[in-house]
Amino acid sequence: MFKLNLKIALRNLWRNRIITSINVGGLAIALAAFILVVMYFTYETSFDKTNPNYNNIYVVGRIYPDFKTNYTSPPFAKAIKQNFPEVENAGITKRGFFEFTMKNGKNTLFAKNFMQADYNAAKILDLKPTGGLEKPAGEVDRLSYLSEESMKVLYPNKTDNKPEMVGMGSSNSGITSKINGSIINNLHSNITFDGISIGNEIGQGENYGMNNYTTYIQVKPGTDVANLEQKITKLYRNELLKGETDQKTIEEIKSISTFLDPLSNQHLKPKAGNDAPYKILIALSVLGILILVIACINFTNLSIAQATKRAKEVGIKKVMGAYRFQLTTQFLAEIFIQCLFATVLALIVAELVLPYFNNLFQINLSVWHIDNDLIWQLPLILCLITLIAGIYPAIVLSGFKPALVLKGNFSTSKQSYWLRNSLLVFQFSIAVIFIIGLFIINSQLKYMRSEDLGFTANQVVYIKNQTLFNNPVKFGSLNFESVRDKILKIPGIKSATVATDVPDGAENGTNGYTFEGVQSSLDFVDVDFDYFETLDIKLKQGRFFSQSFSTDTANSAVINESAVAKYGMKNPVGKTIKGCNIDYKIVGVIKDFKAQGFESAVQPTIYTIKNPCGNYKTQIMLKIEENKMADALATLKAQWPQINPKDGQDFRYEFLDELYGKLFKKQEQLQSVFFAAALLTIFIAILGLFAFAKYITNGRIKEIAVRKILGASDIQIFKLINRSFLVMVLLANVISWPVAYILTKKWLETFAYRIDLPVLPFMSSALITILLTVITVSIQAKKAVKANPVDALKYE
């Protein structure tokens, strides 16, 4: 019986090979897209899951009235461990703040990400040096490791794990450091590095004012995290209140709290960070599911449409004693065969598309990886789509009544008719949403690329540097003045400056500042002369820093418009703002500029040349004439050992406009995904429409023949056939517009600076779907319209 049913199934599929091809092809394409989405979702949600303590690790952060941060001070971790028995371990890490050079002969490594960690943090984060994690011998001793990738750069022929001495900085610096071995750098983790230095303790001697470390804690299983969070907040306030007598400061401390953020949140949605990656992942997952649903709808629609061709087969089998369950199982098996073919084809398509997908998201997924979860996911998906796409058609086909179908009085039910039309409307509704979404994403990206940023990134070169240029000169830092003078002698260089930060979307440091008795937190950027001129930032009031004023290097400050608004200042130039034990005189107000991109509002910011509580000034920026750019960069590279001896021959740079452009990367990814999704949904919907129009047209051949004999023109018949489909497409637009409006409005609200929601994408979507429908249906109808009526009616 099985063999007979298999033959019937294969013959039936071959007899209707056009419909079968559309079914299998559409499902395969949608399934390929879904497979890629499933792989990407699995990848993005499994960061750090190899850590055996994954579910019990938390990052400790701080909450102030106007901001959140993951950065804490070194003593806090030890205090948490000592006070709360439910905390098994607590440790801290610190990221490096600039890229530095490591050398072994002619082999050079540019370490962009060198991290410090205490021994407890290394245990919590499951860091694995080759040979195992060792505890440093003394309190100040450090064990330094390079990632396996970095070790291969410096020592390509190394086969042992013996310690090595490497040169630090330029070749003539004479500075060396011991590397104790290599360490596994888990790229599928939030804690990645080129190298790491592990000590028993780090940050010795630093107090609660030095908040530039990340604190990790590991709690015992079953710990009440919400209760622990409250206790840590109380501890933190008590630590800050020690020795404090100023009543105003005491009240401010009481407004500070802490939070615990699970390790599982850190990659996609950190509490003190941007959750845009999480939103994009959810959007991408929904797109993948919808594309697969549309393909399943196609399958269901066409299977129902084909029902009449199987009616007599079902009638005869029922007369011969077949039960409905047996027929349902048979038809489900036929659908399973088609889904199996589609799955095999989908894997081939996914493998072909995967290099482009990996390039878009800068990842390295593989369909055939041995640890791939697709091994169990694909069979589950196959069974699921077989049931979704096949259960209703199988029930319809197996439910035919023998007496009716064998008399030739069979017709599909009104329920089937309405279901087919409803599914077609749903398909086009999804396609319309994708089209509208694509247009609006394009409009927002166009706005972001063309909108005035408030500064000019073109022709500005960011020099990667490890020399510290602080004012006053301290901790081995140098004065930038002599370096600037040498740089400006090179033809084509218009200005040069140095600062703690460049406008590339990175967060600035934050300190408390008081103006006329009002205390608040401000972002701070420590700069040098010509900072605003180099970036072409606009002045609103007062003046920029100038070498003509000696006080500018001592206690002058420039603030932005947002800082003026935050304090409610009136005529701020000449007034005093206090911070870090300095009474700063405000000498200028600049117009806001979008240093953090378009998703975050411009933060209230203060700019100073002298800041005892600030960071190191390492970010050199140069404004270079466009027609002299190549010559100026070549000269800089040749003269860099003399201009900046600490960096020596290792001259490295980036163009600031390219660096800032990376802020658009996530939205550009979303644009590419929506473009592909819109094309796929339209393609699959048109495939279904094509096959459905073919079925409807074939069913009305005799009607068309009669109408032609009675004098109907070709145009009238085209209008007749198109009318019902146009009604469905218009209905799909009406249904999808409110949904698209809500979704795109929500997406636009993630931007602080955005376009107004335009009407044109909604009208364009209707025009596109109507044109595609008319073209698709007319192509199918053409054969019936041009046919000779005699051929259709000769047996009547």
Side-chain angles (χ1 to χ4, degrees):
M1 191 67 179
F2 172 78
K3 189 176 180 181
L4 176 62
N5 285 336
L6 181 62
K7 279 184 179 181
I8 292 171
L10 293 175
R11 284 173 181 170
N12 183 62
L13 293 175
W14 179 251
R15 189 181 304 115
N16 299 289
R17 49 188 173 275
I18 294 176
I19 301 296
T20 301
S21 299
I22 290 173
N23 258 351
V24 173
L27 191 58
I29 293 170
L31 193 52
F34 187 71
I35 287 170
L36 293 177
V37 169
V38 167
M39 289 171 62
Y40 183 65
F41 184 88
T42 303
Y43 173 82
E44 288 290 314
T45 54
S46 58
F47 269 64
D48 289 309
K49 280 194 173 179
T50 54
N51 191 316
N53 305 307
Y54 175 77
N55 294 317
N56 298 314
I57 296 173
Y58 294 83
V59 173
V60 182
R62 298 174 295 138
I63 304 174
Y64 286 76
D66 45 4
F67 73 96
K68 282 184 179 181
T69 177
N70 274 347
Y71 291 109
T72 50
S73 50
F76 195 29
K78 187 180 289 186
I80 291 172
K81 178 68 173 67
Q82 290 172 346
N83 284 274
F84 305 115
E86 60 265 52
V87 177
E88 285 191 354
N89 208 348
I92 57 175
T93 66
K94 184 179 182 181
R95 294 284 182 182
F97 56 89
F98 56 70
E99 177 181 310
F100 62 90
T101 313
M102 305 178 77
K103 294 180 179 293
N104 173 40
K106 294 182 179 180
N107 299 324
T108 302
L109 171 71
F110 299 114
K112 300 180 179 67
N113 181 11
F114 205 93
M115 190 172 83
Q116 298 179 56
D118 64 17
Y119 179 69
N120 290 330
K123 287 200 298 182
I124 292 170
L125 299 175
D126 196 34
L127 301 181
K128 296 177 179 177
T130 304
L133 180 64
E134 297 179 18
K135 190 170 185 178
E139 290 301 313
V140 296
D141 290 340
R142 298 283 188 272
L143 295 176
S144 295
Y145 302 93
L146 289 180
S147 68
E148 294 173 333
E149 298 83 1
S150 298
M151 188 68 85
K152 286 177 183 176
V153 172
L154 286 180
Y155 302 94
N157 301 317
K158 187 176 175 63
T159 56
D160 56 38
N161 197 43
K162 294 179 180 178
E164 301 283 355
M165 298 301 294
V166 297
M168 307 293 288
S170 63
S171 299
N172 57 6
S173 68
I175 302 172
T176 59
S177 180
K178 183 180 179 181
I179 300 297
N180 295 84
S182 62
I183 187 170
I184 296 172
N185 178 28
N186 182 7
L187 297 177
H188 200 191
S189 168
N190 294 290
I191 300 93
T192 58
F193 41 77
D194 298 315
I196 187 167
S197 174
I198 299 174
N200 275 324
E201 286 188 43
I202 60 174
Q204 294 99 319
E206 297 185 32
N207 58 30
Y208 277 90
M210 307 299 289
N211 291 301
N212 51 1
Y213 292 78
T214 303
T215 299
Y216 293 91
I217 64 170
Q218 179 185 332
V219 302
K220 293 178 180 177
T223 297
D224 184 343
V225 176
N227 182 46
L228 177 61
E229 198 171 58
Q230 293 176 1
K231 292 194 290 185
I232 290 176
T233 292
K234 186 177 180 181
L235 171 68
Y236 186 61
R237 290 173 181 169
N238 291 338
E239 292 292 314
L240 294 180
L241 288 170
K242 285 181 180 177
E244 187 59 62
T245 57
D246 182 69
Q247 192 58 39
K248 188 176 180 181
T249 305
I250 291 172
E251 291 302 316
E252 289 170 359
I253 290 171
K254 288 181 180 179
S255 68
I256 301 170
S257 59
T258 64
F259 64 85
L260 297 180
D261 200 11
L263 184 63
S264 57
N265 280 2
Q266 299 310 302
H267 180 61
L268 293 172
K269 48 178 182 178
K271 288 183 179 179
N274 187 356
D275 64 350
Y278 177 74
K279 290 176 180 176
I280 289 175
L281 179 64
I282 295 300
L284 185 62
S285 303
V286 171
L287 293 184
I289 293 169
L290 287 176
I291 289 169
L292 189 59
V293 167
I294 287 174
C296 290
I297 287 172
N298 253 3
F299 203 108
T300 302
N301 240 349
L302 296 178
S303 296
I304 295 171
Q306 292 286 93
T308 53
K309 294 185 177 180
R310 306 293 298 276
K312 289 183 179 179
E313 176 193 338
V314 173
I316 291 170
K317 284 189 174 180
K318 281 196 169 185
V319 169
M320 299 299 292
Y323 292 105
R324 185 170 186 178
F325 174 77
Q326 292 173 315
L327 293 170
T328 302
T329 305
Q330 176 197 334
F331 291 128
L332 275 176
E334 290 182 22
I335 289 164
F336 178 79
I337 291 170
Q338 293 179 71
C339 291
L340 182 60
F341 285 151
T343 302
V344 173
L345 187 58
L347 285 171
I348 296 170
V349 173
E351 182 66 23
L352 293 173
V353 174
L354 196 57
Y356 304 99
F357 188 85
N358 283 339
N359 184 56
L360 175 63
F361 289 97
Q362 297 296 299
I363 52 179
N364 188 29
L365 300 179
S366 173
V367 173
W368 309 110
H369 195 276
I370 192 168
D371 296 327
N372 202 327
D373 287 339
L374 283 177
I375 292 173
W376 64 267
Q377 289 171 343
L378 263 185
L380 187 64
I381 293 167
L382 176 59
C383 294
L384 192 62
I385 61 175
T386 300
L387 288 173
I388 292 172
I391 192 69
Y392 186 80
I395 291 171
V396 170
L397 286 165
S398 63
F400 294 156
K401 295 179 180 179
L404 289 176
V405 297
L406 294 178
K407 286 180 181 179
N409 296 327
F410 170 78
S411 64
T412 53
S413 67
K414 288 184 178 180
Q415 288 85 351
S416 294
Y417 172 79
W418 281 107
L419 179 64
R420 287 200 310 266
N421 291 351
S422 299
L423 291 177
L424 198 62
V425 168
F426 181 77
Q427 272 186 309
F428 273 93
S429 296
I430 300 300
V432 168
I433 291 171
F434 286 163
I435 293 168
I436 293 170
L438 176 62
F439 279 129
I440 290 175
I441 290 170
N442 286 344
S443 298
Q444 176 65 15
L445 275 171
K446 184 178 179 181
Y447 164 78
M448 289 162 64
R449 293 190 184 107
S450 60
E451 178 67 4
D452 180 22
L453 301 175
F455 73 101
T456 303
N458 294 336
Q459 299 170 236
V460 176
V461 176
Y462 157 54
I463 309 294
K464 296 183 178 181
N465 155 71
Q466 61 184 27
T467 302
L468 312 179
F469 298 106
N470 276 52
N471 195 313
V473 176
K474 61 178 182 177
F475 302 124
S477 61
L478 303 176
N479 195 308
F480 186 65
E481 193 64 35
S482 60
V483 173
R484 178 192 286 110
D485 291 342
K486 293 174 186 175
I487 289 173
L488 293 179
K489 289 177 183 178
I490 297 173
I493 299 181
K494 298 160 68 175
S495 63
T497 190
V498 68
T500 53
D501 299 277
V502 297
D504 62 352
E507 293 183 1
N508 302 318
T510 306
N511 273 333
Y513 293 86
T514 304
F515 177 79
E516 295 183 349
V518 178
Q519 199 275 343
S520 189
S521 295
L522 293 181
D523 280 18
F524 66 84
V525 180
D526 305 338
V527 302
D528 208 285
F529 297 111
D530 295 333
Y531 174 83
F532 304 108
E533 293 87 339
T534 300
L535 294 173
D536 195 23
I537 294 168
K538 305 299 185 291
L539 182 68
K540 186 175 182 181
Q541 297 177 41
R543 63 176 177 84
F544 294 139
F545 296 123
S546 171
Q547 295 182 5
S548 303
F549 297 87
S550 58
T551 54
D552 281 3
T553 58
N555 67 340
S556 292
V558 173
I559 59 176
N560 66 358
E561 291 175 302
S562 293
V564 172
K566 185 164 191 174
Y567 287 100
M569 297 179 180
K570 295 181 179 178
N571 302 316
V573 175
K575 293 184 179 178
T576 301
I577 185 169
K578 300 178 181 179
C580 203
N581 299 319
I582 293 180
D583 292 349
Y584 288 107
K585 180 183 177 182
I586 300 172
V587 299
V589 177
I590 60 167
K591 292 188 176 181
D592 286 343
F593 65 98
K594 300 176 180 68
Q596 274 82 35
F598 285 74
E599 293 178 29
S600 304
V602 174
Q603 297 300 306
T605 308
I606 183 169
Y607 301 84
T608 60
I609 292 179
K610 179 183 178 180
N611 182 7
C613 301
N615 297 323
Y616 294 119
K617 293 188 221 176
T618 60
Q619 318 290 340
I620 297 174
M621 289 175 284
L622 313 177
K623 187 82 167 181
I624 304 177
E625 293 178 30
E626 188 174 5
N627 58 349
K628 296 182 180 178
M629 181 70 73
D631 292 339
L633 289 173
T635 306
L636 273 169
K637 184 175 182 179
Q639 296 183 9
W640 199 244
Q642 292 76 45
I643 294 173
N644 193 2
K646 194 168 184 177
D647 279 325
Q649 67 273 36
D650 300 311
F651 178 73
R652 308 173 308 287
Y653 66 88
E654 283 188 65
F655 293 106
L656 187 59
D657 55 353
E658 293 179 2
L659 197 61
Y660 189 83
K662 292 177 182 177
L663 295 179
F664 303 157
K665 185 177 179 182
K666 283 292 179 186
Q667 306 309 329
E668 287 170 347
Q669 287 175 345
L670 189 61
Q671 180 190 35
S672 299
V673 167
F674 255 83
F675 180 72
L679 286 182
L680 273 177
T681 51
I682 292 169
F683 176 72
I684 293 169
I686 293 300
L687 273 182
L689 183 64
F690 182 85
F692 198 35
K694 179 181 176 68
Y695 166 75
I696 294 295
T697 305
N698 289 344
R700 300 180 73 175
I701 283 178
K702 292 177 182 178
E703 177 193 347
I704 292 168
V706 171
R707 287 179 181 274
K708 288 189 73 175
I709 289 170
L710 294 174
S713 66
D714 290 354
I715 296 296
Q716 288 175 320
I717 293 173
F718 274 124
K719 285 170 64 177
L720 175 71
I721 296 173
N722 273 291
R723 187 182 298 128
S724 61
F725 290 104
L726 285 175
V727 169
M728 286 188 280
V729 170
L730 287 172
L731 182 60
N733 276 275
V734 171
I735 292 170
S736 61
W737 283 358
V739 178
Y741 175 83
I742 293 168
L743 293 177
T744 52
K745 190 172 184 290
K746 287 286 184 185
W747 177 73
L748 285 173
E749 285 172 357
T750 63
F751 295 89
Y753 308 99
R754 55 185 179 266
I755 59 171
D756 294 324
L757 203 58
V759 176
L760 186 61
F762 295 86
M763 305 307 297
S764 300
S765 69
L767 184 62
I768 290 169
T769 50
I770 288 171
L771 282 174
L772 289 173
T773 300
V774 170
I775 292 168
T776 305
V777 175
S778 296
I779 289 171
Q780 267 305 326
K782 184 179 178 181
K783 184 179 177 182
V785 170
K786 296 299 182 184
N788 190 335
V790 174
D791 294 331
L793 301 174
K794 62 184 176 182
Y795 296 111
E796 295 299 319

